[in-house]
Amino acid sequence: MVSLKAVQASNASLRAFPNITALFVGGTSGIGQSTLRHLARYADSPTAYIVGRSQERASPFLAELRSLSPKGRFHFIEADVSLVRNVDLACRQIVDQESHLNFLFMTPGGISLGGRNETPEGIDYLFSLRYYARMRFVQNLLPLMTTAASSSPSRVVSVYGGGFEFPINTDDLDLKHTFSLLNAYKHSITMTTESMEYLAQQYPSVSFVHAYPGLVGTNIYNNSFPSPIASFYNVAMWPFHSVSLQESGERHLFHLTSARYPAKQQPAGAGEVATGTTGEPGSGVYLLNWKGEVRSSPKLLTQYREQGIPELVWKHTEQLLEEAVRR
């Protein structure tokens, strides 16, 4: 376990990095909000873009961020990112304003007890939030992240289920024909890691983290269910929460910024680094638990790597995303 003291010391070192630019997708509540709040506290003059559903609901939090970091710049982008075309619009605003992007932090999602619920673009709603929309942000913004990597850290963090990879149906990756909530859960996790492995080879100056956050005291049930059901889950799950929301934010900022998880093409003289999914230190893709520890890489990933599944998954993802915006 990475101690909280070590986490805080690493986060405090952010003051030494000028011109940090970050994007938080799902940054107005829960883990994303807590992580962004800590970025505002630790960094000297960050620039942060926050993508969320409601400008009005986000306004008090934006005021808090500006109070925490008077020299910081905080920009809200209102968007429903379950739609790929909305992701493109949000990214365009950032590309038009910035020359580099250091950090991309993604937490959008929710809980469903129903069946497949397609968006107008033909993608299951939660599958889009957990995987496809996130990958569209990555795809669109990697050029800015590569530019950032020439002089400062550059990292993608997707918070979901890193370390819980399962076999997937490579003949039905988007689950058009074999959808179930369990299959969607499995595919979202495994396809995230597979795509990260492929992209780390193509963009070796950018590092990728797929994190499992543990059970955190967030408002995910309130955002996913009607009030009576949400209240039941909040009470029932409270004893199982492994980490407070505040500590989770501290630790996820560490995941996002620490030199412990470098890109494959890491700078010379880097200190102690974590072991990546290939079993090699500093390989560029990391599966982390909430403590910052590397989760053991399943044998499945080795088998998939040998079979070329990372490339297969990414090529499918590119094709589906392009089809979505043409609908």
Side-chain angles (χ1 to χ4, degrees):
M1 174 176 177
V2 181
S3 71
L4 185 57
K5 183 177 180 180
V7 165
Q8 292 169 335
S10 175
N11 290 344
S13 70
L14 288 175
R15 294 188 181 91
F17 289 97
N19 302 319
I20 286 177
T21 304
L23 169 61
F24 286 75
V25 184
T28 58
S29 64
I31 294 170
Q33 183 184 64
S34 182
T35 305
L36 180 50
R37 182 179 287 120
H38 286 294
L39 176 68
R41 286 174 174 160
Y42 283 111
D44 182 44
S45 53
T47 296
Y49 290 83
I50 307 103
V51 176
R53 289 178 176 273
S54 171
Q55 173 84 49
E56 182 179 359
R57 288 176 57 188
S59 292
F61 180 51
L62 292 172
E64 178 189 351
L65 292 174
R66 289 164 183 148
S67 175
L68 290 170
S69 180
K71 293 190 291 183
R73 296 190 300 141
F74 302 95
H75 309 284
F76 185 79
I77 300 174
E78 187 174 73
D80 172 6
V81 298
S82 67
L83 295 176
V84 178
R85 56 176 55 92
N86 290 347
V87 173
D88 288 351
L89 290 172
C91 290
R92 195 167 301 137
Q93 292 185 51
I94 298 168
V95 171
D96 287 346
Q97 295 295 321
E98 303 297 334
S99 61
H100 73 282
L101 182 71
N102 298 103
F103 304 121
L104 171 55
F105 189 83
M106 301 177 291
T107 60
I111 297 174
S112 172
L113 299 179
R116 185 178 176 92
N117 176 24
E118 287 195 359
T119 71
E121 296 174 337
I123 306 173
D124 175 69
Y125 175 75
L126 281 181
F127 202 174
S128 180
L129 290 176
R130 293 170 177 170
Y131 175 71
Y132 288 105
R134 299 187 191 202
M135 291 303 110
R136 188 62 162 191
F137 275 106
V138 176
Q139 182 187 42
N140 287 343
L141 296 172
L142 270 171
L144 285 185
M145 302 194 76
T146 302
T147 300
S150 63
S151 59
S152 55
S154 183
R155 183 168 303 153
V156 173
V157 173
S158 186
V159 180
Y160 189 39
F164 288 97
E165 287 73 16
F166 297 90
I168 55 177
N169 184 347
T170 56
D171 294 322
D172 188 29
L173 287 172
D174 62 344
L175 299 174
K176 276 281 191 180
H177 308 291
T178 56
F179 184 89
S180 70
L181 291 177
L182 180 58
N183 285 343
Y185 171 77
K186 292 177 178 179
H187 275 226
S188 297
I189 293 172
T190 304
M191 289 170 67
T192 294
T193 300
E194 294 299 292
S195 288
M196 285 183 167
E197 286 205 345
Y198 177 78
L199 292 170
Q201 296 298 320
Q202 306 304 310
Y203 299 87
S205 61
V206 179
S207 64
F208 298 83
V209 169
H210 187 186
Y212 172 67
L215 290 173
V216 185
T218 71
N219 59 358
I220 186 171
Y221 305 118
N222 295 332
N223 292 339
S224 303
F225 300 116
S227 180
I229 299 175
S231 297
F232 168 78
Y233 277 110
N234 283 327
V235 173
M237 295 304 294
W238 182 255
F240 302 100
H241 291 154
S242 58
V243 59
S244 70
L245 186 56
Q246 179 174 341
E247 182 176 344
S248 179
E250 286 263 19
R251 290 186 174 278
H252 279 89
L253 182 61
F254 177 79
H255 296 168
L256 185 62
T257 61
S258 170
R260 186 182 180 89
Y261 315 110
K264 180 180 178 64
Q265 182 181 302
Q266 58 186 279
E272 181 181 353
V273 299
T275 299
T277 55
T278 63
E280 301 174 356
S283 68
V285 182
Y286 308 91
L287 308 178
L288 303 182
N289 65 15
W290 70 269
K291 304 173 186 177
E293 299 167 336
V294 173
R295 298 183 63 83
S296 59
S297 184
K299 292 181 180 179
L300 174 70
L301 295 186
T302 300
Q303 296 171 6
Y304 277 178
R305 206 174 296 121
E306 293 169 350
Q307 296 167 8
I309 301 302
E311 181 175 8
L312 174 71
V313 168
W314 183 250
K315 295 303 181 185
H316 153 82
T317 302
E318 286 186 311
Q319 180 178 348
L320 185 142
L321 291 172
E322 290 309 310
E323 291 173 353
V325 297
R326 290 199 299 266
R327 285 177 70 108

